[in-house]
Amino acid sequence: MLRDDLGQPLTILREDYSATPYWIDTVDLTFDLDPAKTRVVNRMTLRRNADVPAQPLKLDGEELNLARVLVNGQSASFRMEGKQLVLDNLPAEGSFDLEIFTTCCPAKNTKLMGLYVSQDAFFTQCEAEGFRRITYFLDRPDVMASYTVTLRADKARYPVLLSNGNRVDSGDLQGTGNEGRHFAKWVDPHKKPCYLFALVAGQLVAREQRITSRAGQEHLLQVYVRPGDLDKTEHAMTSLVYSVLWDEARFGLPLDLERFMIVAVGDFNMGAMENKGLNIFNTKYVLANPATATDVDFANIESVVGHEYFHNWSGNRVTCRDWFQLSLKEGLTVFRDQEFSMDLAGSASARAVKRIEDVRVLRTAQFPEDAGPMAHPVRPDSYIEINNFYTVTIYEKGAEVVRMMQTLVGREGFQKGITLYFERFDGQAVTCDDFAQAIADANPESELARQLPQFKLWYSQAGTPRLRVETAYDAQAQTFSLTFTQTVPDTPGQSGKSAMVVPVTLGLLAADGRALPLQQSGDAVPVAAASGTEQTLVLTQARTTVTYGGVTEQPVPSVLRQFSAPVVLEADDSDDQLLVRLRHDSDPFNRWEAGQRLSLRRILAGIAQEPAAASADGQVLLDAAYIDALRQLLRDATLDAAFKELALTLPSENYIAEQLDVVDPQRIHAVRESLREQLAHALYDDWLHAYEAHHDNGGYSPDPVSSGRRALAGLALGMLVLAARRTGDAVWPGRAYQRFKDAGNMTDRQNALLALLGAGHELAQPALQRFHALFRHEALVIDKWFALQGGAVDRQGQVLPQVRQLMKHADFSLKNPNRARSLIFSYCSANPGAFHRSDAAGYVFWSEQVIALDAINPQVAARLARALDRWKKLAEPYRHAAEEALRRVAAKADLSNDVREVISRALAA
Ligand code: B3K
Ligand code: ZN
């Protein structure tokens, strides 16, 4: 077991939760901002929590220099217990004042937690436990206080001084020693946990917009950026305005502040942070114009702006009792931002595209996590470093759990549940159980209410359930039955699991694609929702059979429509059945899924072939039926381009790897590439047609229709350039290069460059050079430039040497998380064909970078450490080499807890 300096176990257990021994009612902070030595005076009023036995006050602190402690104005004695500041003999009755004087050094704060400097401005990041790096405090989310904050700093260097809430005073400082200095005083009208505290100070400019809510309330919205970036703030502001309107319209949740600010910062550990009234964002999720940002960037900005804004209710007004409940706010808020983007997308097809994209993330990132050494329940039972648990399980699987609740109670019922949840818990710090109970209580007649204890297994059981479906058609009796068998796999620390509540939306198709009516016969399986031709069954048993009567012909089942539950569906659909669904399924998600299954089947067959039997590059023979179906889809004038692009994109290498017990990443890469190349040739005329029909997009707009057209044109161009590899044709590479040069927006430009890179064409190099020259002053575009190279298709093992070379580039820095991610993560985590080298050099590189990053920024290092999570599944020689690399990192003496936890779990599992 891992222990701290005092010999205490490092593992924090959910079952050890106990209420806080003290409440902090008010906090008055004064900052004298100086990069080298910032002085913080923290004046608090506290009182004992009468519900728990009297005990000393233990305040958390980290990397602080403590100068003085006063209790009720008198200097007080204190002691240190490890990192905690301990005060005994505090007044037993009533409130008392506590003043703490500390200093810290923001300039040296490379962890980017607490108060730090980025490009000569001050920023904070407190979630989860960064506030203790600013002052001594009860750093836990269930302690909520009213904050007053005074910022004092040099006026010329830090003209803008921001904190949460409303600015109540500002001006120049008087007196000797204060020449050229000014101050601003902020009061936050809402109580909050300290993880939502924020301050910003620096040279910033703002785009502003005033809006009036439905209730007639006026609000000022501001997006702060560095001077020179204002021309990239329009989309973020528009997204913010839509977010405010949407939350009020869909959930009746209004903005509760006069002023709502977003500030962009170039050095940031994650995407963004929902500090009350003062959201701090990675520049990547704020700055965009058509020349610098892709459609994906525009869509991400909309989601992240929405996400952080929605936290204002789901997270800030009602927060988490403890960090084990993280998904209470994150799962719910991801669900809300997904719904927001879908509602904005408009058409049914655009909604489905968003759903497919979300499921793709879940299956390529969360399913592997749930099957690996870091698997944990949506509500974990233990952790060493909470920052390691901001995971796809907490976020994306957590969102699926909320989505299943909505499916079980219906959209209106869910709305009622949300209203009850906020009524019941406003201003409190609560648990996942509280949330589920509120949704159920608002819908007492629902399947959710009936099955609530079992439903909550989604919070406690880790691992992705597998749902097997077997079907039988009785032509004489005209019945069709489906038998579902459910198993939940063992995960580290959890075995022998129970059956879960699984909502399964399904329909039956005739061979010509007609939807068949659904009438259950025999013992009925509960249904959460039904139309004549679609039902949502609620499975609760390890084995369930449902039988439909009056089925006059052998049907094609379409099961798990809209991906109604986060499970692995195992079905033995024939190719013919999948082809019917690919042509006709009325559910776009399952239509797409049918295509993915057909492709996956061919890829897996290619992988299973003896390498010698297949041609050298893992050639898979493609059948005419499959090719024809894809051709029809590509030519179908009734389908949206965005959907076609998704349907014609092969499953990712990571997703393919998940289907296999033993993974040979090179083989997966070779077979997938071979299939891609064959599709490029077999559908050549169709790609040509698609490109011609979609490549001219007129003026730029990031809406779903035009971005879909660009996506399809990009895919088609990639295929045409790829086809030229074998034919030696110079026309398409030349056209791609030309398009790269002339592109009117970043999406088209990057797609053209990717087409050249994907085909390994010699024009990729001059294009990359030109790209750098054009955008050398745009940090976010330079990130793309690094990412394109770290993620490039590896044809001669050239990618790793190139990555090593790029680390020496003047623009590279390990200290900037975006830059580190753009090059190193793109290579180690997103380029399996280049990373898994038989000479182990990729893993050696990984271990070096994990160690180097850990000394700078443990949170970022721990993310990179996860690139080898699934090493046990690797075939030799990869497996052995990966283990060695993990052991090399583990052997390092002074690893952070962050990296130690990830590596030791990987080696233990
Ligand atoms: N709540 C923050 C994430 C904080 C991560 C701390 N390591 C952003 C978000 O989920 O909205
Ligand atoms: Zn969040």
Side-chain angles (χ1 to χ4, degrees), residues 864-886:
L864 180 62
R866 297 205 45 196
L868 278 183
D869 257 16
R870 309 303 313 280
W871 67 277
K872 283 210 169 157
K873 274 184 85 166
L874 293 172
E876 295 298 357
Y878 308 104
R879 182 185 152 115
H880 184 73
E883 181 174 8
E884 265 188 15
L886 281 156

Side-chain angles (χ1 to χ4, degrees), residues 31 197 375 548 637 707:
F31 289 84
F197 166 81
Y548 293 100
S707 69

Side-chain angles (χ1 to χ4, degrees), residues 366-568:
Q366 198 279 326
F367 281 19
E369 177 168 277
D370 233 353
M374 280 293 287
H376 53 276
V378 168
R379 182 190 54 215
D381 293 312
S382 70
Y383 60 77
I384 291 180
E385 174 50 63
I386 184 57
N387 285 320
N388 284 333
F389 286 81
Y390 286 75
T391 58
V392 274
T393 297
I394 303 293
Y395 279 66
E396 269 70 24
K397 187 177 182 180
E400 292 300 320
V401 174
V402 175
R403 185 170 296 283
M404 284 189 288
M405 291 191 208
Q406 175 172 265
T407 303
L408 291 173
V409 302
R411 204 169 143 126
E412 263 176 50
F414 186 74
Q415 235 101 310
K416 280 200 291 189
I418 288 285
T419 304
L420 179 62
Y421 169 67
F422 286 114
E423 269 169 22
R424 217 181 246 182
F425 299 115
D426 192 11
Q428 298 179 45
V430 304
T431 63
C432 297
D433 284 333
D434 293 328
F435 177 76
Q437 192 66 52
I439 305 296
D441 287 352
N443 298 278
E445 297 306 320
S446 67
E447 285 304 315
L448 178 69
R450 270 192 271 278
Q451 313 293 349
L452 189 62
Q454 190 187 353
F455 182 84
K456 289 199 297 184
L457 291 173
W458 283 107
Y459 284 119
S460 58
Q461 288 191 162
T464 308
R466 303 187 83 85
L467 190 64
R468 239 206 100 60
V469 52
E470 274 147 351
T471 61
Y473 178 58
D474 184 334
Q476 213 140 46
Q478 298 196 336
T479 58
F480 183 70
S481 59
L482 302 99
T483 299
F484 297 93
T485 325
Q486 191 198 134
T487 49
V488 190
D490 290 351
T491 47
Q494 279 193 345
S495 56
K497 298 178 201 187
S498 316
M500 323 266 276
V501 177
V502 182
V504 175
T505 303
L506 56 78
L508 301 178
L509 275 66
D512 63 3
R514 258 176 313 119
L516 298 173
L518 294 183
Q519 194 95 59
Q520 280 197 40
S521 73
D523 285 345
V525 175
V527 168
S531 70
T533 55
E534 189 172 276
Q535 290 195 340
T536 300
L537 304 176
V538 184
L539 307 183
T540 54
Q541 310 291 319
R543 195 181 161 85
T544 310
T545 299
V546 62
T547 303
Y548 293 100
V551 185
T552 51
E553 56 186 299
Q554 167 85 48
V556 175
S558 168
V559 179
L560 208 68
R561 284 182 165 175
Q562 295 119 55
F563 203 66
S564 55
V567 299
V568 173

Side-chain angles (χ1 to χ4, degrees), residues 127 272 274 307-308 311 314 329-331 333-334 337 390 395:
E127 188 179 1
E274 70 262 26
H307 181 98
E308 305 312 326
H311 268 314
S314 50
K329 73 177 178 81
E330 295 305 347
T333 306
V334 171
D337 84 52
Y390 286 75
Y395 279 66

